[in-house]
Amino acid sequence: MAGILDTVDQRTQLVGENRLEILMFRLAGRQLFAINVFKVQEVLQLPKLTLMPQRHPFVCGVVNLRGQTLPVIDLSQAIGMRPLVPGPNSTIIVTEYNRSVQAFLVGGVDRIVNMNWEAILPPPTSAGRQHYLTAISKVDDQLVEIIDVEKVLAEIVPYNAKVSRDKLEDPVLERARGREVLLVDDSNVALSQLRDTLGQLGVKMHIASDGLKALNMLKAWADTGVNMTDKLLMIFTDAEMPEMDGYRLTTEIRNDPRLRGLYVVLHTSLSGSFNDSMVKKVGCDNFLSKFQPDKLVDVVRQRLMLDEVPA
């Protein structure tokens, strides 16, 4: 699979255009699944697998990749399908989520497809593995199911939303109590973490499951004549979402005179220098990798401190 992934420079051209690239693959069957290419480091044949005692049922073992030890997760079993049997011809997808690197065992990789987020739709509400999907789409008349990797990883290593006591005792954070924030994310796991963490500050939270819903919500408030920077302390938005991603949402906010002063934080499982450059490109005020409760509170504090800066 050498050469299947584009360079970061090429992929950044998609940002702000409401486009994405998905890597499609199969698990234990013919159904096509996908994840965002931005989170994929490489695709390769399974190296020598080392078993570990008392490992999580979804973890096949670990591999050593250029001096780094990575867990190998059976993605098929993790989303409720029959387990895959690892072998010398198996394929793994090496990914980075929330500052951690892991490999997913898959049945085989199909290809990369460039798509518009408007073609990515929320999954139907039903039982079964739909619980592990953030979106669905169609490619060449075939249904493609986009996996909620954050949920999979949270079940293997549960997230922590507890804020350190010394952070909560900061008098500056008292000014957050009663203020309103908007949370934009299609992952219930990520929204739960945000609510659990920000709830400790006493803020009032509004929720939108994608960028388009958030933009419509913001414009509806603005249409009533409310001063938006007075109403909302800040917005936390995911990068990847059906219909409209967080980059495009930020671009739309900056293009609307009524909204452009809003403080926007890109809150995403994507990490690294890629996001640093994209924050500047689309005009976000801050960037934060997910599942870091103390750093999340630090970002709120930074926003509150701006109220003390003379205009």
Side-chain angles (χ1 to χ4, degrees), residues 16-17 215 218-219 244 247-262 264 281-284:
E17 303 299 325
L215 184 62
L218 292 169
K219 288 186 173 183
M244 181 182 288
Y247 302 115
R248 182 61 177 270
L249 170 62
T250 306
T251 299
E252 294 292 334
I253 288 172
R254 298 304 179 224
N255 287 338
D256 189 323
R258 304 170 302 169
L259 307 177
R260 65 170 53 131
L262 288 168
V264 181
K281 178 175 178 178
V282 301
C284 292

Coordinates of all heavy atoms in Angstrom, one line a residue, residues 16-17 215 218-219 244 247-262 264 281-284:
G16 N -11.3 23.9 4.6 CA -12.1 25.1 4.3 C -13.0 24.9 3.1 O -13.8 25.8 2.8
E17 N -12.8 23.8 2.4 CA -13.6 23.6 1.2 C -14.7 22.6 1.5 O -15.4 22.1 0.5 CB -12.7 23.0 0.0 CG -11.5 23.9 -0.3 CD -12.0 25.3 -0.8 OE1 -13.0 25.3 -1.5 OE2 -11.3 26.3 -0.6
L215 N -24.3 26.3 12.5 CA -24.4 27.6 11.7 C -25.8 28.1 11.7 O -26.0 29.3 11.9 CB -23.8 27.4 10.3 CG -23.8 28.7 9.5 CD1 -22.8 29.7 10.1 CD2 -23.3 28.3 8.0
L218 N -26.6 29.5 15.1 CA -26.0 30.8 15.3 C -26.7 31.9 14.5 O -26.9 33.0 15.0 CB -24.5 30.8 14.9 CG -23.6 29.9 15.7 CD1 -22.2 29.7 15.0 CD2 -23.4 30.5 17.1
K219 N -27.0 31.7 13.3 CA -27.7 32.7 12.5 C -29.1 33.0 13.0 O -29.6 34.1 12.9 CB -27.8 32.2 11.0 CG -26.4 32.3 10.3 CD -26.5 31.9 8.8 CE -25.2 32.2 8.1 NZ -25.3 31.9 6.7
M244 N -21.3 19.5 7.2 CA -20.4 20.7 7.2 C -19.3 20.4 8.3 O -19.7 20.2 9.5 CB -21.1 22.0 7.5 CG -20.2 23.2 7.5 SD -21.1 24.8 7.9 CE -22.0 25.0 6.4
Y247 N -13.9 23.2 10.0 CA -13.2 24.2 9.3 C -14.1 25.1 8.5 O -14.0 26.3 8.5 CB -12.1 23.5 8.3 CG -11.2 22.6 9.0 CD1 -11.2 21.2 8.7 CD2 -10.2 23.0 9.9 CE1 -10.3 20.3 9.3 CE2 -9.3 22.2 10.5 CZ -9.4 20.8 10.2 OH -8.5 20.0 10.8
R248 N -15.0 24.5 7.8 CA -16.0 25.3 7.0 C -16.9 26.1 7.9 O -17.2 27.3 7.6 CB -16.8 24.4 6.1 CG -17.8 25.1 5.2 CD -17.1 26.1 4.2 NE -18.0 26.7 3.3 CZ -18.4 26.2 2.1 NH1 -17.9 25.0 1.7 NH2 -19.2 26.8 1.4
L249 N -17.3 25.5 9.0 CA -18.1 26.3 10.0 C -17.4 27.5 10.4 O -17.9 28.6 10.5 CB -18.4 25.4 11.2 CG -19.0 26.1 12.4 CD1 -20.4 26.7 12.0 CD2 -19.2 25.1 13.6
T250 N -16.1 27.4 10.7 CA -15.3 28.5 11.2 C -15.2 29.6 10.1 O -15.3 30.8 10.3 CB -13.9 28.1 11.6 OG1 -14.0 27.1 12.6 CG2 -13.1 29.3 12.2
T251 N -15.0 29.1 8.8 CA -14.9 30.0 7.7 C -16.2 30.8 7.6 O -16.2 32.0 7.3 CB -14.6 29.3 6.4 OG1 -13.4 28.6 6.5 CG2 -14.6 30.2 5.2
E252 N -17.4 30.1 7.7 CA -18.7 30.8 7.6 C -18.9 31.8 8.7 O -19.5 32.8 8.5 CB -19.8 29.7 7.6 CG -19.8 28.8 6.4 CD -20.2 29.5 5.1 OE1 -20.9 30.5 5.2 OE2 -19.8 29.0 4.0
I253 N -18.4 31.4 9.9 CA -18.6 32.4 11.0 C -17.8 33.6 10.8 O -18.2 34.7 11.0 CB -18.1 31.7 12.3 CG1 -19.1 30.6 12.8 CG2 -17.8 32.7 13.4 CD1 -18.6 29.8 13.9
R254 N -16.5 33.5 10.3 CA -15.7 34.6 10.0 C -16.2 35.5 8.8 O -16.0 36.7 8.7 CB -14.3 34.2 9.7 CG -13.6 33.5 10.8 CD -13.5 34.3 12.1 NE -12.9 33.6 13.2 CZ -13.3 33.5 14.4 NH1 -14.5 34.1 14.7 NH2 -12.7 32.8 15.4
N255 N -17.0 34.9 8.0 CA -17.6 35.6 6.8 C -18.9 36.4 7.1 O -19.4 37.1 6.3 CB -17.8 34.7 5.6 CG -16.5 34.2 5.0 OD1 -15.5 34.9 5.1 ND2 -16.5 33.1 4.3
D256 N -19.5 36.1 8.3 CA -20.7 36.8 8.7 C -20.4 37.9 9.7 O -19.9 37.6 10.8 CB -21.7 35.7 9.3 CG -23.1 36.3 9.6 OD1 -23.2 37.5 9.9 OD2 -24.0 35.5 9.4
P257 N -20.6 39.1 9.4 CA -20.3 40.3 10.3 C -20.9 40.1 11.7 O -20.3 40.6 12.7 CB -20.8 41.5 9.6 CG -20.9 41.1 8.1 CD -21.2 39.6 8.2
R258 N -22.0 39.5 11.8 CA -22.7 39.3 13.1 C -22.0 38.3 14.0 O -22.2 38.2 15.2 CB -24.2 39.0 12.9 CG -24.9 39.9 12.0 CD -26.3 39.4 11.6 NE -26.2 38.1 10.9 CZ -27.2 37.3 10.7 NH1 -28.4 37.6 11.1 NH2 -27.0 36.1 10.1
L259 N -21.3 37.4 13.3 CA -20.7 36.2 14.0 C -19.2 36.2 14.2 O -18.6 35.5 15.0 CB -21.1 34.9 13.3 CG -22.6 34.7 13.0 CD1 -22.7 33.4 12.2 CD2 -23.4 34.6 14.3
R260 N -18.5 37.1 13.3 CA -17.1 36.9 13.2 C -16.3 37.2 14.4 O -15.1 36.7 14.5 CB -16.6 37.8 12.0 CG -16.7 39.3 12.3 CD -16.0 40.1 11.2 NE -16.3 39.7 9.9 CZ -16.7 40.6 8.9 NH1 -16.7 41.9 9.2 NH2 -17.0 40.1 7.7
G261 N -16.9 37.8 15.4 CA -16.1 38.1 16.7 C -16.2 36.9 17.6 O -15.5 37.0 18.7
L262 N -16.9 35.8 17.3 CA -17.0 34.7 18.2 C -15.7 34.0 18.4 O -14.9 33.9 17.4 CB -18.1 33.7 17.7 CG -19.5 34.2 17.8 CD1 -20.5 33.3 17.0 CD2 -20.0 34.3 19.3
V264 N -13.7 30.8 18.6 CA -13.9 29.4 18.1 C -12.6 28.6 18.5 O -11.5 28.9 18.1 CB -14.1 29.4 16.6 CG1 -14.3 28.0 16.1 CG2 -15.3 30.3 16.2
K281 N -5.2 29.0 9.0 CA -5.8 29.1 7.7 C -7.3 29.5 7.8 O -7.7 30.4 7.0 CB -5.6 27.8 6.9 CG -6.2 27.9 5.5 CD -5.9 26.7 4.7 CE -6.6 26.8 3.3 NZ -6.3 25.6 2.4
V282 N -8.0 28.9 8.6 CA -9.5 29.2 8.6 C -9.9 30.2 9.7 O -11.0 30.6 9.7 CB -10.3 27.9 8.8 CG1 -10.0 26.9 7.7 CG2 -10.0 27.2 10.2
G283 N -8.9 30.6 10.6 CA -9.2 31.6 11.5 C -9.8 31.2 12.9 O -10.5 31.9 13.5
C284 N -9.5 29.9 13.3 CA -9.8 29.5 14.7 C -9.0 30.3 15.7 O -7.9 30.7 15.4 CB -9.6 28.0 14.9 SG -10.7 27.0 13.9

